Amino acid sequence: MSIIASKENQIYKLCSKLTARKYRDACGQYLAEGERVIHDALKTRQKLVYVIMEEGYRPVYDFPCTAVFMERKLFQKIAQTAASQGILAVLEKRQLDEKQFREAIKKKSGNVILLDRLQDPGNIGTIIRTADAAGYSGVMTIKGTADLYAPKIVRAAAGSLFRMPVFAADSPQQAISLLEAAGKRILATGFDTELYYWDMDMRRDIGLIIGNEGNGISPELMQLAHSIIKIPMTGSIDSLNASVAAGILMYESLRK
């Protein structure tokens, strides 16, 4: 295998650019880092473009794409973790249109998680991973949500992003229209309701909205929701971490 030793190398330049959302959107590619994540990418037959390894790394797999080594000082510049495992990959995005996403969310429970302007990579990655574990069929985002293909989110999702169909809606109206056309009941969380989450049948065909960490669900989506539910809280606590709340609600579909 060749060793990349120059910042002028095209693969190095590509990896550097893919740290920016606008370039990921433009070229339809993204970065995934770490042994477990790349193992899951291979296992789920993702489209790998390049595998880049730090000099001295000992590969375990044969890669179905161009694989190269990179000098340590260059690799550390494109690595997204402080203690990198010495391997990352460039992958092609799975980009579904509305029809393809609608077909994909008919599988399993048919439940879908809708992220409304969430920004924290750890929250988003954890929610995607939990949705996968809870048998959800897909993930939607509203414009204003962080890019699901950002390196920190890809890593936090721990391979679940490869298995979960995703779709980015341009507006609340587009998101709700798509979910309603697929026969989903739209649930939002809020305080102005007498319904607790266990009062709803959440086993199948739910579109569950999770709101922004600081501002919650937008008023527009609250108006479009079919039902508003709440999670009981005691003491002086008036809100939960977004990923914690999402986990409680998504696992209700399995409890029943």
Side-chain angles (χ1 to χ4, degrees):
M1 293 182 190
S2 60
I3 298 180
I4 295 173
S6 171
K7 289 183 179 180
E8 298 305 311
N9 180 273
Q10 294 303 309
I11 296 177
Y12 176 84
K13 287 183 176 181
L14 173 63
C15 292
S16 298
K17 290 177 178 177
L18 288 175
T19 59
R21 179 172 187 168
K22 65 178 182 180
Y23 200 83
R24 292 192 295 270
D25 290 343
C27 70
Q29 297 175 343
Y30 66 103
L31 293 174
E33 183 177 349
E35 293 174 343
R36 177 61 185 271
V37 173
I38 292 173
H39 169 74
D40 285 341
L42 291 168
K43 186 177 179 181
T44 55
R45 298 184 179 181
Q46 302 302 302
K47 293 182 180 179
L48 278 72
V49 182
Y50 299 113
V51 169
I52 301 97
M53 297 165 284
E54 186 178 14
E55 61 178 328
Y57 183 87
R58 295 184 178 181
V60 178
Y61 308 105
D62 292 325
F63 302 110
C65 64
T66 299
V68 298
F69 287 103
M70 184 176 288
E71 283 189 351
R72 183 166 286 107
K73 64 179 181 180
L74 292 180
F75 186 90
Q76 292 302 322
K77 288 183 180 296
I78 61 172
Q80 301 297 303
T81 56
S84 174
Q85 294 177 333
I87 184 169
L88 57 82
V90 175
L91 292 87
E92 295 281 356
K93 286 185 181 181
R94 292 185 304 151
Q95 304 195 63
L96 304 181
D97 59 27
E98 285 194 38
K99 181 179 179 180
Q100 291 169 327
F101 184 75
R102 195 161 55 244
E103 288 299 315
I105 61 177
K106 292 179 180 178
K107 300 174 182 178
K108 294 194 283 189
S109 69
N111 287 349
V112 178
I113 192 84
L114 173 58
L115 307 182
D116 177 23
R117 300 165 297 125
L118 269 71
Q119 292 296 315
D120 183 81
N123 277 340
I124 295 171
T126 299
I127 290 171
I128 294 171
R129 188 177 182 183
T130 307
D132 185 17
Y136 268 54
S137 299
V139 178
M140 291 186 72
T141 63
I142 297 290
K143 189 174 183 179
T145 302
D147 180 20
L148 299 190
Y149 291 98
K152 289 183 179 180
I153 294 177
V154 174
R155 188 167 63 253
S160 291
L161 188 61
F162 304 142
R163 293 182 287 271
M164 297 290 288
V166 300
F167 182 80
D170 290 328
S171 66
Q173 293 90 342
Q174 182 190 21
I176 299 302
S177 294
L178 192 159
L179 291 173
E180 288 180 336
K184 310 305 177 187
R185 289 179 293 131
I186 315 301
L187 300 183
T189 54
F191 297 106
D192 189 20
T193 179
E194 297 301 316
L195 289 174
Y196 289 102
Y197 69 89
W198 56 68
D199 294 322
M200 300 296 296
D201 183 353
M202 299 174 67
R203 287 174 293 181
R204 295 194 60 82
D205 294 323
I206 290 297
L208 176 63
I209 307 170
I210 299 298
N212 174 272
E213 291 89 353
N215 301 313
I217 296 171
S218 69
E220 192 170 9
L221 277 175
M222 290 292 278
Q223 290 179 354
L224 292 169
H226 299 160
S227 299
I228 299 174
I229 56 177
K230 62 184 177 181
I231 299 172
M233 286 177 282
T234 62
S236 59
I237 297 297
D238 60 3
S239 66
L240 292 173
N241 173 276
S243 62
V244 172
I248 292 170
L249 296 170
M250 287 189 286
Y251 263 91
E252 177 66 7
S253 64
L254 292 183
R255 188 187 72 83
K256 288 188 175 180

